[in-house]
Amino acid sequence: MECRFSFEPLRRENGFQMDHYWVWCGSPVADPVCGYHLYASRWSMDYPMYIGYLLHSEIVRAYSPVMEGPFTYCETVLPTGNSADWNGRMAHNPRVIQYGNRWLLYYIGLSYSGEGEVTKSFADRIYGRIRIGLAEADSPAGPWRSLPEPILNPLPGSWDAAVVTNPAPCVTPDKRIFLYYRSNTPQGLRIGLAVADTPEGPYRRVVDHPVLNFHVEDPFVWHDGEKFLMIAKDVSGTLCGERIAGAYFESRNGIDWKVGVPPKAYSRTVRYADGHEETLGCLERPSLLFDERGHAVCLYGAVGRGGVSFHHITQSWNLALPIREEG
């Protein structure tokens, strides 16, 4: 099936890996001074993946002189480390965008007291505490100033009362922030939208229902000057024909979305420079890097081996996939 993005053959060292850590997410930033930064999530492989991220995920900055990496760990950015803070014990899902002369880091966080039980039941109990937050910096390398309160909370009595997660900010031509996010419903995963005139908010829900009624998550959204575009993880594969691959969507107003042509953005099957082809267990949390012309030049995704979907993998890292220039 045709994909929207085709990739150059990969070097095996592309992206960001860390021994003894689960590495997830991955948001790239081109530094106007030199090189590239990648903001990712990590947590110790001493913990199971799902439980570990809810209890111990932290957002880190890695650096490479070239866009495909390999990236090297530089520093830990969040959480704050203070359990009294709303984002004191866990930070995850980083998305970094430029807004004028500032850089904005959107993420999810939560806190809890004590050491936390390493059990699924405890992780499930604190899952609903997840909130979306914002940190700001004057440089793509930081330092970051985290706002003291979340910018988006679940809305009791609404379709997104269970959780707000997977933040996907998009700056519109008129400089508003369209913040897409995921919530859980009895019908499956759904994508919502909150809009703000400034990065600090307030973020207001523009409709009282999901803007994307498909079973997808991990949206990445951008505006090409004419319309909104989105790629997202197709959980069941019913949209793009491949489970946990990338589905593609378009919208004129950012609210009413339709499946794009082609519907498939990318596949989990990748090809290396040595000729080997591999179908990864997952390729999730997609994030694009654009050049000065506004063309997408590299896709970054959280990938894993050992099973299909993050529930079953035994190894994870962020993979950088340079996009082949057409024509």
Side-chain angles (χ1 to χ4, degrees), residues 16-23 42-45 315-316:
F16 177 44
Q17 305 182 45
M18 294 192 75
D19 292 340
H20 312 301
Y21 282 95
W22 300 104
V23 174
R42 73 165 189 181
W43 60 100
S44 172
M45 291 186 74
Q315 176 190 11
S316 73

Side-chain angles (χ1 to χ4, degrees), residues 24-295:
W24 205 242
C25 309
S27 184
V29 187
D31 194 319
V33 177
C34 64
Y36 299 84
H37 306 283
L38 186 70
Y39 287 86
S41 304
R42 73 165 189 181
W43 60 100
S44 172
M45 291 186 74
D46 289 342
Y47 304 100
M49 190 189 194
Y50 170 74
I51 297 171
Y53 109 76
L54 280 170
L55 296 179
H56 299 294
S57 178
E58 56 187 17
I59 293 171
V60 301
R61 178 175 67 88
Y63 172 80
S64 170
V66 294
M67 70 177 185
E68 67 270 23
F71 287 83
T72 302
Y73 168 84
C74 295
E75 63 176 336
T76 297
V77 175
L78 285 164
T80 67
N82 181 357
S83 61
D85 296 334
W86 76 270
N87 55 356
R89 300 298 295 270
M90 184 276 276
H92 195 65
N93 283 176
R95 290 286 196 203
V96 178
I97 60 172
Q98 187 173 3
Y99 187 85
N101 294 323
R102 290 185 288 166
W103 277 262
L104 309 176
L105 168 58
Y106 291 80
Y107 66 98
I108 63 170
L110 64 76
S111 200
Y112 56 89
S113 59
E115 289 305 310
E117 307 168 55
V118 186
T119 64
K120 187 177 184 301
S121 61
F122 179 76
D124 289 344
R125 287 199 301 274
I126 66 173
Y127 181 78
R129 300 183 192 178
I130 290 173
R131 303 290 185 265
I132 294 176
L134 174 66
E136 302 177 326
D138 299 320
S139 161
W144 295 92
R145 305 175 295 274
S146 183
L147 299 190
E149 299 296 332
I151 60 169
L152 194 69
N153 299 293
L155 186 61
S158 180
W159 72 271
D160 58 0
V163 70
V164 290
T165 185
N166 292 176
C170 174
V171 180
T172 66
D174 62 3
K175 302 305 180 186
R176 289 181 295 164
I177 305 285
F178 275 39
L179 180 61
Y180 296 88
Y181 61 94
R182 187 258 289 172
S183 192
N184 302 356
T185 77
Q187 295 74 38
L189 308 180
R190 295 293 185 265
I191 304 299
L193 170 63
V195 176
D197 294 329
T198 64
E200 294 78 14
Y203 287 80
R204 299 183 177 90
R205 291 160 171 86
V206 295
V207 291
D208 60 1
H209 55 78
V211 296
L212 210 64
N213 273 303
F214 299 110
H215 190 43
V216 300
E217 65 172 342
D218 296 350
F220 178 89
V221 185
W222 72 104
H223 196 283
D224 69 357
E226 296 183 358
K227 59 184 178 295
F228 293 85
L229 309 173
M230 179 192 296
I231 55 177
K233 169 188 167 185
D234 187 351
V235 179
S236 62
T238 56
L239 296 170
C240 73
E242 181 183 346
R243 184 183 172 204
I244 315 179
Y248 169 64
F249 306 91
E250 294 184 354
S251 172
R252 286 291 174 182
N253 59 9
I255 300 172
D256 304 302
W257 290 85
K258 63 180 182 180
V259 178
V261 179
K264 191 172 191 176
Y266 58 84
S267 170
R268 287 189 287 119
T269 299
V270 299
R271 180 179 294 276
Y272 297 97
D274 61 10
H276 177 69
E277 193 173 89
E278 177 181 15
T279 299
L280 297 160
C282 52
L283 202 170
E284 310 185 20
R285 302 290 303 148
S287 191
L288 291 170
L289 178 71
F290 298 91
D291 64 14
E292 63 280 355
R293 302 168 298 168
H295 295 170

